[in-house]
Amino acid sequence: MPKTTVAWNETFYDNFCRVAMLSQDEREVLRCRIMGYSITEISMYTNISTAKISRIVQALRKKYDAVQKHYPDLLPVRRETEQERWQDTH
């Protein structure tokens, strides 16, 4: 199982998507990140440029941090991991 910044499960994913009002692209990128896909792999899977994927990932982090502060009972604190850094550079 890939290491992620959040111990994702279906409940956390659904809560985050609902509370942060994620777009379909954001939801798809998040699902791929949870599965451990790199930026390049997500780009190939979704037919979205790597630059746009990187922007979406950055936006997701900002949204998650903002939403988590207001809903700590729904979403755990996000922590950066080595796996995330690798995903961001490949």
Side-chain angles (χ1 to χ4, degrees):
M1 176 174 245
K3 295 178 184 175
T4 61
T5 59
V6 174
W8 288 102
N9 62 33
E10 199 66 32
T11 303
F12 292 155
Y13 173 81
D14 290 339
N15 286 338
F16 178 52
C17 291
R18 180 178 47 80
V19 175
M21 295 186 292
L22 299 184
S23 70
Q24 190 60 39
D25 284 346
E26 289 172 325
R27 288 171 185 251
E28 191 65 29
V29 169
L30 179 57
R31 276 223 179 258
C32 289
R33 291 292 283 197
I34 291 169
M35 292 187 297
Y37 290 14
S38 68
I39 296 288
T40 305
E41 291 169 324
I42 296 170
S43 176
M44 292 185 323
Y45 179 75
T46 60
N47 292 319
I48 300 173
S49 72
T50 56
K52 184 170 181 180
I53 297 293
S54 294
R55 287 192 300 271
I56 290 172
V57 169
Q58 288 176 348
L60 286 170
R61 286 184 188 138
K62 289 179 184 176
K63 285 182 178 186
Y64 189 90
D65 290 342
V67 169
Q68 193 279 327
K69 289 178 186 174
H70 296 289
Y71 299 96
D73 54 325
L74 294 179
L75 300 168
V77 176
R78 182 178 71 83
R79 289 182 282 286
E80 189 171 314
T81 65
E82 197 60 41
Q83 172 76 17
E84 181 182 37
R85 284 190 284 275
W86 182 87
Q87 287 175 303
D88 289 347
T89 58
H90 292 82

